[in-house]
Structures are given as C-alpha cells and as structure tokens.
Amino acid sequence: MHTEDVLAAILTGLWRWDDATRTVSLDAEAARLLGLPARPAELTEGAARARFHPVDWNEIDGIVSLAVAEGTLAEARLRVMDGHGRVIRTVRTRAKPIVDGTPPARDDGRRGSGFRLVGTFQEVPEQRPGTAARTPVTGDWRRSREAFLLDAGRALAEARSTEEVLRVAASLSMPGFSPDGLAVFGVAGDRLTIIGHHGHSLGDEGPFADMPLDTDYPAAEVVRSGRAIYLPTPDDYRDRYPTAWPLAKRFGRESWAFLPLIVAGRTMGAWMAAFTHRVAFTPDERSVLTTVARMLAQALARAGVAESERELSLGLQRSMMPVLGPAVPGMEVAARYVPTGGGLQVGGDWYDMIQLPGGRVAFVIGDVQGHDVRAAGLMGQLRIALRAYASEGHRPDAVLSRASRFLYGMTEGTGPWDGSPDGGGPGGDTSADGRFATCLYLEVDPAKGTVDIARAGHPDPAIRMADGTVLLRPTDGGLPLGIVPDTDYPTTRFVLEPGETLMICTDGLLETGGHDMETGWLRVRKLLEEYDPGAESLDVLADALVQAVHGPGSHHTTGPFADRREDDIAVLLLSRTGEPATRRTAPRRTVLSVAQAEPERIAAARHQLRELLHDWADEDQVDAAVLMVSEMVTNVLVHTDGDALLVAEAAGEHGARLLRVEVADGSDELPHRRRPGEMASSGRGLVLMEMLAHAWGVDPRGEGKSIWFELYESGAEPPDAETCLAPPEP
C-alpha cells in the first residue's frame, strides 16, 4: 500500500511547497480538504493563497521562516475559504522544511530561498467562540505579543551595559508564558561561561559557570549547532540529556528553551528560559522567544562594544593625561579634564605642567582637532614634543614655533585654514591627515609673579583680580599649530599679583551647552566672580566650572552626564598666594597691545576698559574714558607706523579711585592741538582730553612717547595725585 493511500484512509492529505518555483502540489485528499476536486493538483502560490483566510496566510510566512531557521516542524491552523469568502472548514497542517543546496531560478528570474516544505493537511474541529480570541493567529494574544516585542525592543535598545541588558531581560513579561528562570551563556575560547542569570540563588551557577563546549548540555549544543532546543517536559530533558539532567532537576522547572545568541552570523552564546509550568512551545511561542533572543544578542553585542570602548578610553586617559607635578612655592594650581561623550570618550584636549630651571614653571593647555583616537594620539605626541622643547630652555615663542613645525610634519600640513592670523577656528573641511591644534603656553616665575604667554589660536586667558573683578587678558597670538611650517608667536608679559587667579581653558568649557564664545564667557565669568579664595580652595572653583556645564560628577569619565558632553573640556587654574592688598584698595590693571594690522582690536580695548570699570560710580566718566581711549589708540594707528600699547590702572578706595590710562607708541612725534571745523573727521583727540580728563599729558621716552590721562571717581583730585603736564603748545 502506498503512503498516499494510508493517509487518505485517515483523511489526511499530503502537500509539497517548492519555494524556488512558488508552486504547491496537492494529492487528492489535500485537494478535497481545500475545496477542490478530489484529484492531484498543482497550484501557483497565488491560487493556493486564495483558498485560505488572509489572516491565517499572513501568519504562515513567519511560521515557515522560524521552522527553516530552527530546523523544526512548521505547525498552524488554517481556515479554508470557498469562492464566496465563507469558511468551509479548519485544517491543521504540519510541515517539515527541506533545505536545498543552490536554489534554481524562479519564473520571474529571481532565485528562491532554497527550501521545500513537505506536509500534511487534516481537518480539525472549528475553534469555539470563547477560545477563538486566543488562537495563535488572531485575537488578543497576537496583539499582546506585538506590544510586548515593541516594549522589549525599546528597553533592550536603551540598555548601555551588560548588567543593564541582563536586568532588562529578567524583567521581561512575555504574554502568557513568562519564564521565571533565565541564564545567558557566553563563549570564551572553547569554554562555555555564564554571563548572568536570574531566578536562581547565589552560587547556583557554579556547575554551569565554566564547561567545555563539547559537554552534553543544551546550551553547549546550541552554541555548537546554532539551532534552538526546546524541551517541553522534564522527560524530554532527561531522555535527551541524561548526564545534565541531575543538575537541572533540582531547580524544579517543567519546560526549557535554549536559543542561540547570533550576531552577524556568529553564535556568541546562548539564552536559557526556564518555566515552572508546562509550555508546549507552539510556533507563536517559539517566534516570540526567537525574536527576543535576536534582540538580546544585539543588545549584548552593543553593550560589549561600549564597555570595550570605555575601558580603552580609560586606558588612554590614564596613559596620556598627566597629573599636576609637585607643589609650586607661592602658587596654588588646579586642573580638570572632561572627555567628550561621543565615541571613545577621549579626544585632543590636554593640559600639562613642566618644571623649568631656576624655579620657573611652564603651564600648557591645548586642543588637537577632533574627538577620536587619532586626535588623542596626536595630542600625546604633541605634548611630549612641547615638554622636550620647554626642557631645552627655549622661550615661549620658540617652544610654539618648534611645536608647530613638528605637528606640520606629523600631519603633512594638508589641512585648509580660513581664519584670522590671531587664531580662531577651522574653515572648510580639514582632511584626516591635516590636523591642527590650538595651544596656550605660559612660563611663570613664582617668586616675581611674571607670566610670559605665547598663544597659538587659543582662547585668551582670564584673570580674577584680588577685589573680584574678572577680565579677559588679551594676548598677542599666531596661527594654530600645524597650519604652516614656520610662523612666529609673539610673547605677552604681565604680572600676576598676590590674590589674583589666572584661568586658561579650551573652548569646550565656553561653548558646550548651546553657548557661543560670548555667552559661554558670561557664564564662566559669573562663577569666577562668585569664587571666594579666602574660604574655598582652587579645586572648589575647578569643580564649579565643569559642573556648571555638565552637572555634578561630570569631571569623571562615566556617570549620568556622560551622554551630554558635546566637546572635550580642559581647564587649568593658577593663583598666586600671599597677602593681597585689601579688597577695596587693591589696584586693578590691564594691558593690551593693538598692532597696525589689527585695527579691530580697538573695540577690544574699549570693551576691556569697561570691564575694568564695571563698578565705577559715575557711568558718564566710564563713557568719557572709553571715548578717550578709542581716540588715543586710533591716533597711534593712523599717525604712526608702530603699534599701540594700552595700560590702564584703577587704584584707591571705592568711590574715590584714581584711573590712569596710558597709550604708548614708538614714534617721537608729539601730538599737536588742532582746531577742527564742523565737517572735519579728525583732530579732536586732544580737545576731548582737555574737556573730559581731570589731568592729561605726554611723556617723551627714549624710544617713542606715552600719552596719558587721569580721572577721579569722586570728581575731586586726590591729595596724592601727581600734577599733570601742561599740554604742548600748538
């Protein structure tokens, strides 16, 4: 008797589905069950689809894909429809996928997926209305499953570490068959290890924590084969894995599912879901478990990469970021570095402190373009080069010139530049091999308080004076390092008085948090003004500066604020100790040079003077002083061939202070008073000084001259004010 005859006798039809040609072959009984004449038939996929309820047919695709992937039976209930759209019967189908080698071409020219299904049809009683809502293909269960998978995918995607992934997996509540025991296995060489587990007591993982991959254990077989294993009953477990059964028996579970964790075609481990109740592992249930296993594998892979990156970034930071050296006599120093939140959390910002002969100390802060490993590598090399040049005894300008030549050679000098000679930022796209760096190099004499600064396209330093006044200290500068092989970096010198604090930083401190350089500076300036050096250490100020940008704890490399970092931050604070003048009588002093090629810095001079006089009692006097400074500096640039040097100092008791402003130049020609007409555009400088200043004069010097004026805050000349020089005759 043929097989077809046996199946027909028990009212079971036989069918074959060829995925390559998209055809379905039916024997006589199968054709009858589908409402066709009771004789063998061959249908196209479209014709076969028309015989079934569309909802049921849509489910078939996923069930078949799952069976092909797992090498298991595809089982489903299907409602058969007549030509008028009425359900005539319900059949149950069971099919076994047979995977071919190379699939033949289909009629439409494309290749099929290379498998055939051989299965049976058998009529079954129609589902009762009370249970229809819980069938594998329709109703509440299916909607609950879709909602569960959506929530599970979102939760696993948000997990940032292996620990978080395991915690999310343990909290998943699958619709109708939630496991109460979970374990995630990993692979280390030829050994199976446990990454984490849930629903077991501490120490229960001992026998499973480290076993060879050839062990007769379900998880080991899953890793070896890449296929899921379902054990619906304890008998199934005991019969299939008699050696491992005594270890599993003591946990009192009734059903087990072991699924491979596959990423990019490689099995990286296995996931076990154990149940205290019996689970039949229907196609729908297997589909849910398989989908969760795929999401879990992706989440674990992402978490592993993120943890490796964090470990690498920590190692890079430990090896590249220096610690501040020994204490500097007469100085207090503090520094902070906050890496960017993107990528490896390491970038091109750095600071350094270098001991020099004679008790002098050099401080460096810089920023290599980029926030990647390449930037970190260049930063490390540049930091070593700067240390070497400084240790050779070169002055600040020579140190930066040599460092620029070094970086240009390292990066081949291919980066385009579209910025001012005094610094700024990159213009256009800079190639990966054409990196540049901004840098600020300070050489400090702690005994005298002198500071020599050379600047390469970096933000200017800021000074907090003893009375709490905060000023940006404009300094001469040159191009960022690495732009051209040979460039000059002029040096600016000033004195850091006792009680004054110098701050240098990278642009990340100013521009992070949606700020630009101007608004970012206002935020930082407020913190510097609120700092109380008598009650707080410099470390308190350093923490306050970075916390204002990223929140508490942000100077660490990990934490709740890691994802908010937009740019690296490096900040270095230097304060000269010693007894300052009283807060009310401490003199304020600012110095600014304006070169012939930089007339735009006249605006900076006006702004600098307003900052110096921020608490001056008479606002009209402030306006007058700003106007006179503008006239004096402009006259130097227009009527001489040299640069202008502005020195402004305010001293005395608040409300009765003396402001003295000097503008020096290298020309011996003395100014002359003129009588400009109504339409004249110049010649009013000395006239304005006569009208607005309480005292003014011209001091000839060995090389050049100095024009000065004085203003008295009270409006009356202080008793100790020096007598002004008579203005020169016209």
Side-chain angles (χ1 to χ4, degrees):
M1 181 177 291
H2 296 294
T3 303
E4 290 83 353
D5 298 331
V6 175
L7 293 175
I10 59 175
L11 301 180
T12 301
L14 184 66
W15 62 272
R16 294 178 179 82
W17 179 7
D18 192 332
D19 185 64
T21 61
R22 295 292 182 178
T23 58
V24 179
S25 301
L26 308 171
D27 69 0
E29 181 61 19
R32 184 190 69 81
L33 290 173
L34 296 189
L36 298 172
R39 58 175 179 266
E42 183 171 300
L43 306 178
T44 64
E45 184 182 280
R49 182 190 302 119
R51 310 305 302 178
F52 298 104
H53 193 289
V55 173
D56 299 358
W57 182 267
N58 290 336
E59 290 290 328
I60 281 290
D61 221 20
I63 293 172
V64 169
S65 298
L66 181 64
V68 171
E70 296 182 348
T72 56
L73 288 176
E75 182 177 353
R77 286 175 176 265
L78 301 170
R79 286 167 289 179
V80 181
M81 314 289 291
D82 62 12
H84 302 287
R86 295 188 298 265
V87 177
I88 58 176
R89 64 175 56 88
T90 301
V91 298
R92 181 175 61 188
T93 179
R94 290 189 177 95
K96 174 71 175 178
I98 301 173
V99 180
D100 296 331
T102 303
R106 286 167 29 182
D107 295 338
D108 56 8
R110 296 179 294 150
R111 290 197 175 273
S113 52
F115 68 87
R116 290 177 292 118
L117 286 175
V118 178
T120 61
F121 281 139
Q122 190 174 37
E123 186 172 4
V124 294
E126 191 171 350
Q127 292 285 333
R128 295 189 303 273
T131 61
R134 303 184 184 276
T135 62
V137 294
T138 60
D140 298 339
W141 198 95
R142 184 160 58 88
R143 287 191 290 271
S144 299
R145 180 193 64 182
E146 292 170 352
F148 160 74
L149 292 177
L150 184 62
D151 292 340
R154 184 184 300 113
L156 288 171
E158 294 174 354
R160 297 172 180 266
S161 65
T162 300
E163 183 179 355
E164 289 184 20
V165 172
L166 296 175
R167 188 162 56 247
V168 170
S171 65
L172 295 179
S173 180
M174 300 182 189
F177 66 112
S178 294
D180 50 18
L182 300 172
V184 176
F185 298 87
V187 179
D190 60 350
R191 314 286 294 183
L192 191 70
T193 62
I194 287 187
I195 298 176
H197 63 90
H198 172 72
H200 307 89
S201 301
L202 185 65
D204 284 347
E205 74 278 8
F208 311 94
D210 184 20
M211 63 176 65
L213 280 178
D214 57 0
T215 302
D216 187 27
Y217 181 68
E221 183 176 336
V222 165
V223 172
R224 294 195 305 267
S225 66
R227 293 183 178 275
I229 294 175
Y230 299 101
L231 304 171
T233 66
D235 291 340
D236 293 323
Y237 199 129
R238 182 179 59 251
D239 294 343
R240 190 165 177 179
Y241 302 98
T243 304
W245 170 243
L247 297 176
K249 179 181 178 181
R250 60 192 178 96
F251 295 110
R253 303 292 198 271
E254 293 291 324
S255 299
W256 299 261
F258 292 84
L259 297 101
L261 300 175
I262 300 175
V263 177
R266 182 179 67 88
T267 303
M268 57 177 289
W271 173 47
M272 181 200 75
F275 304 82
T276 54
H277 58 279
R278 294 286 177 92
V279 178
F281 297 119
T282 65
D284 281 307
E285 291 167 342
R286 297 204 310 273
S287 177
V288 170
L289 291 168
T290 301
T291 303
V292 172
R294 290 171 182 167
M295 293 189 296
L296 182 59
Q298 295 291 337
L300 287 171
R302 286 193 302 269
V305 170
E307 289 168 352
S308 297
E309 288 180 347
R310 283 194 290 269
E311 186 62 30
L312 175 59
S313 67
L314 286 173
L316 284 171
Q317 291 172 35
R318 293 190 193 101
S319 63
M320 291 184 173
M321 291 308 300
V323 295
L324 293 175
V328 180
M331 295 282 183
E332 184 182 1
V333 184
R336 293 291 184 271
Y337 171 68
V338 183
T340 182
L344 293 180
Q345 297 185 3
V346 66
D349 289 21
W350 88 97
Y351 63 84
D352 206 350
M353 173 178 165
I354 308 168
Q355 297 291 335
L356 300 176
R360 294 174 296 116
V361 184
F363 297 94
V364 188
I365 196 164
D367 181 2
V368 176
Q369 177 200 19
H371 310 107
D372 51 16
V373 176
R374 169 73 169 157
L378 286 175
M379 176 267 288
Q381 293 171 301
L382 184 58
R383 181 170 65 86
I384 293 172
L386 281 162
R387 271 187 162 270
Y389 298 141
S391 300
E392 289 175 356
H394 297 293
R395 299 293 297 165
D397 56 340
V399 170
L400 289 193
S401 294
R402 285 166 168 76
S404 182
R405 191 178 303 116
F406 169 81
L407 185 59
Y408 182 89
M410 288 290 297
T411 61
E412 302 178 5
T414 57
W417 175 253
D418 183 20
S420 66
D422 190 38
D429 296 327
T430 302
S431 69
D433 292 330
R435 306 287 182 106
F436 59 84
T438 64
C439 184
L440 201 62
Y441 181 91
L442 292 74
E443 188 175 299
V444 180
D445 187 334
K448 300 178 181 178
T450 58
V451 180
D452 293 315
I453 294 182
R455 186 169 63 89
H458 203 80
D460 281 308
I463 294 180
R464 183 193 186 279
M465 299 180 177
D467 67 347
T469 300
V470 178
L471 295 176
L472 279 176
R473 181 60 173 87
T475 57
D476 294 331
L479 290 172
L481 307 178
I483 297 296
V484 294
D486 295 299
T487 187
D488 295 327
Y489 295 96
T491 300
T492 301
R493 167 173 285 194
F494 62 88
V495 177
L496 191 66
E497 301 291 347
E500 292 185 343
T501 300
L502 174 71
M503 183 198 78
I504 56 178
C505 66
T506 56
D507 56 3
L509 181 67
L510 304 176
E511 294 183 321
T512 298
H515 289 271
D516 56 23
M517 294 292 285
E518 183 176 352
T519 60
W521 160 243
L522 294 177
R523 173 179 58 183
V524 169
R525 176 185 170 185
K526 181 180 179 182
L527 294 170
L528 292 171
E529 290 174 340
E530 294 173 350
Y531 169 63
D532 184 1
E536 300 170 326
S537 69
L538 212 55
D539 284 310
V540 173
L541 176 58
D543 288 338
L545 289 170
V546 295
Q547 288 172 13
V549 177
H550 292 303
S554 59
H555 60 279
H556 301 298
T557 56
T558 59
F561 298 92
D563 57 335
R564 294 171 51 192
R565 302 174 192 153
E566 303 165 22
D567 194 4
D568 299 340
I569 290 176
V571 58
L572 193 148
L573 301 169
L574 177 65
S575 180
R576 190 178 178 197
T577 57
E579 195 63 33
T582 63
R583 179 179 177 86
R584 296 181 59 85
T585 61
R588 302 177 189 170
R589 191 169 186 264
T590 186
V591 181
L592 175 66
S593 62
V594 181
Q596 284 283 334
E598 301 173 308
E600 66 277 2
R601 297 197 77 183
I602 297 176
R606 294 194 294 263
H607 181 73
Q608 190 79 355
L609 188 61
R610 285 194 181 277
E611 293 289 328
L612 187 74
L613 303 178
H614 68 93
D615 59 350
W616 198 263
D618 190 340
E619 187 63 32
D620 291 336
Q621 285 187 329
V622 175
D623 293 337
V626 170
L627 178 59
M628 287 187 285
V629 164
S630 183
E631 285 289 335
M632 294 161 67
V633 176
T634 301
N635 285 338
V636 172
L637 299 187
V638 172
H639 299 295
T640 73
D641 296 329
D643 302 337
L645 178 64
L646 167 68
V647 179
E649 182 176 281
E653 289 285 346
H654 191 278
R657 286 172 289 186
L658 167 65
L659 170 67
R660 182 179 176 90
V661 178
E662 297 184 15
V663 176
D665 62 75
S667 173
D668 295 330
E669 182 179 354
L670 298 179
H672 298 280
R673 184 189 296 110
R674 292 185 287 172
R675 293 180 174 82
E678 292 184 3
M679 303 301 294
S681 60
S682 62
R684 295 186 176 86
L686 298 185
V687 176
L688 288 173
M689 293 177 66
E690 281 187 344
M691 294 173 58
L692 301 176
H694 290 114
W696 69 278
V698 180
D699 291 342
R701 296 184 174 178
E703 293 182 356
K705 62 182 180 298
S706 171
I707 306 174
W708 58 270
F709 71 84
E710 292 179 349
L711 286 176
Y712 313 129
E713 189 175 16
S714 63
E717 181 178 350
D720 57 346
E722 59 182 274
T723 303
C724 66
L725 295 178
E729 291 297 327

